[in-house]
Structures are given as C-alpha cells and as structure tokens.
Amino acid sequence: MKKIVIGLAAVVLLTLSVAARAEWPDKPIRILVPFPSGNSSDVSMRLLGQKLSVRLGQPIVVENRVGAGGTVGTGQAAKAAPDGYTLAMGSTGPLAIARALRPDSLPYDTARDFMVVGAVAWAPQVLVVRKDLPIASFQEFLAYGRRPDVKLNYGSPGNGTTPHLVIAQLVNETRINAEHIPFQGGTQALTSLIGGQIDFISDNVPVVQGAIAGGRVRALAVTSGTRIPSMESVPTLKELGVKDFDLQGWILLIAPKGLPETISSKLIAAVEDVMKMPDVRQRLLELGLVPMDMPRARLPGFLQSEATKWAAVVKVSGAAESTR
C-alpha cells in the first residue's frame, strides 16, 4: 500500500511538473513581418517584440517574410499553428485591401484565419503638392484641379497601394481632374514630385516629412480623421471640408485564428501594457506613426470593418481591374 501511495504521489508531481513547464510561453516566440527590414512597420514590430520579450520572459524573434505586397508572409502566418508561438504583423494592405484587389488568388481569408491580439499604431498620410503648383491653399487646389483646362497628375507606390487608394477616394469625392501615375515605390514618386514631373502625392509621414521640412514640397492636409502629433500645424481633410474623410493605414499584432483563450488573454494584456509605456509611444511618434489606442472590445470586429471599408475604396479606384 505504501508503495502504491508513493507511486501515485510521484505521478502527481510529474504531472504538475509537466504542466508547469508547458505553461505558455515556455519557448521563443516569432513575429512574422511581411515587409522588408528597416521601414517604420518593421521597426515598430521589433520595438514591440523587445518589450514583450521582457514582459513574457521569452525571446521574441522578428522574421521578415517578404513578397507580393505583404501577402506571402501573411499567408505563412495563416498556416501556422494557433499555439501562441507564431504571431505576425498585420497591416492594411494584406488584411483589408488584398482580398478586394485579388479575390481569386489570395492564400488566406482575413476573417477566417486571423484574430487581432494587439493594436499597435496608425499610419497616417500627408497630402503634398509640388512647390511651384500655382495654389496657396487646399481650397485653391480644389478650384485649380476642377478647371476644365487643367489635368493634374498624382503619383503613388503602385496600383492598389494605400497611397493610391487614398488619393483615388479624394479625387472621387472632390471631383478634381487628376490622372494616376504609378511608380515602383514611394521614394520614386516623391522624387518625381520634387522634380515637377507630377503634381501631388499622398504618403506616410516618413516618406514626405524631410521634403516638407526642406521646403521641397508643400503639405496641404493629412488624410486621417485627426491631426498628426508630429505635424500639428497641418489640418485634416475633414477640417478643410471633405466630409467624413478618414483614411489611413494601421499596424496590428495578429495571430492565427483558434488561439486558446488562456494564451490570447495573456498576450492581449501584455500588448496593452507595452503600448502604455511612454518610451514606446514616443518612439512610434518618431517613426511617423500614432499609437493606436483601441479598446479591447473593438479588436474582434476591427478586421472585418476595415475590409468592408477598403473594399469600397478599391471599387471606386478601379485598382482591381488594373492588377489583372
């Protein structure tokens, strides 16, 4: 009898030991970033990973999986096991725009395959014009662009990118005469703007901030619903009379759908704690981003609402036809 009791005790202790070791996380976590290293979204994920590593007590490795406008890395994240050890950066293009652009070829379904575990940052854009355009304000820009003898050209990093879609929506709402000129990237579009080959662009703060500060282009408005903290003097399009205009990119931390509640609740709480850190918020602002203070209750429905919104913008732009 004594041997049986001792044996049972050993089994219980072994079970408890295994359970303790299996408590998440008990090994390194990886975050897949579907864009090249060094840009603001990549840096934001590395910052988040560094802070979460301390908070969770495990190394967090950021892996860049680049290709097809972010859909390659996002697709790999969709196929990962929902165990909390593979997370990913979620952004506007792969999660909210890609399905509307390429409905038959996307290797994942945003609503079916992912859950949001943390809101990281907004990526607002700035509408800028060449410095010698004969206008002095946004209202003059509209009046000039509506003249029958004027045909403006605007650039973007390519068909279906958020800068393209934002301007396409603006052109549609304001009825200015403008033609889209796609480039290989935002830097190339900005270079052509500075050189006078095109008339205006809209792009993220890091792309245009230096040119604005150097007087090589002029900022007319920001496309987000509220002003950008790093550019407080630049009004929003809503303030300038473009009713309810609020289009900007975003960065999330996502996980494969099916993450156990015990893991998701711990992870969500950890991200919330990190996003309250003053140094994290300041660094995001320095990157031209804005901390995304989203209530936890909005997380589950955010991806679907954004996909619906951007699908409507894609339809207006005609970008889906141009990508076929």
Side-chain angles (χ1 to χ4, degrees):
M1 184 66 178
K2 185 176 181 180
K3 290 182 178 180
I4 293 174
V5 172
I6 293 173
L8 288 173
V11 170
V12 171
L13 288 172
L14 179 60
T15 302
L16 291 173
S17 176
V18 170
R21 289 200 302 273
E23 183 180 355
W24 183 90
D26 67 344
K27 63 180 181 180
I29 300 167
R30 63 175 183 163
I31 299 177
L32 303 183
V33 173
F35 297 107
S37 61
N39 62 24
S40 57
S41 58
D42 171 76
V43 174
S44 73
M45 282 295 107
R46 293 179 186 277
L47 174 64
L48 180 62
Q50 178 187 16
K51 299 293 185 177
L52 282 177
S53 178
V54 176
R55 180 73 168 70
L56 297 173
Q58 288 292 338
I60 295 182
V61 180
V62 173
E63 300 178 7
N64 298 90
R65 303 294 179 88
V66 182
T71 60
V72 170
T74 305
Q76 292 175 358
K79 296 175 183 177
D83 57 9
Y85 293 104
T86 298
L87 308 173
M89 187 200 89
S91 65
T92 324
L95 294 183
I97 296 173
R99 175 65 63 185
L101 288 175
R102 297 180 290 276
D104 301 324
S105 61
L106 206 62
Y108 56 86
D109 181 271
T110 297
R112 181 194 66 213
D113 294 333
F114 296 110
M115 65 172 291
V116 181
V117 294
V120 179
W122 296 104
Q125 294 184 21
V126 187
L127 175 68
V128 296
V129 300
R130 58 182 171 90
K131 65 180 182 180
D132 58 345
L133 197 69
I135 57 99
S137 68
F138 179 73
Q139 295 304 326
E140 288 186 9
F141 170 74
L142 293 185
Y144 183 71
R146 288 168 176 162
R147 283 171 43 178
D149 60 327
V150 169
K151 185 75 169 184
L152 299 173
N153 293 318
Y154 69 91
S156 83
N159 288 312
T161 59
T162 50
H164 169 216
L165 297 179
V166 166
I167 292 189
Q169 185 69 20
L170 178 64
V171 168
N172 179 68
E173 292 192 25
T174 59
R175 303 301 178 187
I176 62 175
N177 303 313
E179 181 178 351
H180 178 217
I181 308 295
F183 290 83
Q184 292 298 311
T187 301
Q188 291 87 340
L190 176 63
T191 299
S192 290
L193 180 67
I194 293 171
Q197 285 81 46
I198 56 175
D199 300 301
F200 66 105
I201 65 171
S202 175
D203 215 323
N204 296 332
V205 175
V207 176
V208 299
Q209 195 168 32
I212 295 170
R216 292 174 291 169
V217 299
R218 283 187 287 154
L220 294 185
V222 297
T223 68
S224 50
T226 57
R227 295 197 183 199
I228 302 172
S230 59
M231 304 183 73
E232 278 288 351
S233 63
V234 183
T236 68
L237 287 168
K238 289 172 65 175
E239 291 177 74
L240 295 170
V242 187
K243 186 178 179 181
D244 298 328
F245 199 98
D246 183 2
L247 286 177
Q248 59 183 322
W250 35 260
I251 299 170
L252 310 171
L253 185 66
I254 60 174
K257 186 69 75 69
L259 202 63
E261 197 278 333
T262 53
I263 295 176
S264 64
S265 59
K266 186 175 182 179
L267 184 55
I268 289 171
V271 175
E272 287 180 345
D273 287 347
V274 168
M275 292 307 302
K276 293 175 184 175
M277 296 179 178
D279 60 329
V280 171
R281 300 176 71 83
Q282 180 59 38
R283 181 58 178 142
L284 290 175
L285 292 172
E286 291 170 357
L287 292 169
L289 304 170
V290 178
M292 194 175 185
D293 298 319
M294 183 187 298
R296 184 179 295 200
R298 282 193 62 198
L299 292 181
F302 182 76
L303 288 181
Q304 185 56 53
S305 65
E306 284 293 296
T308 300
K309 178 176 77 174
W310 284 98
V313 177
V314 169
K315 185 176 181 179
V316 164
S317 74
E321 297 178 356
S322 64
T323 59
R324 291 172 187 164

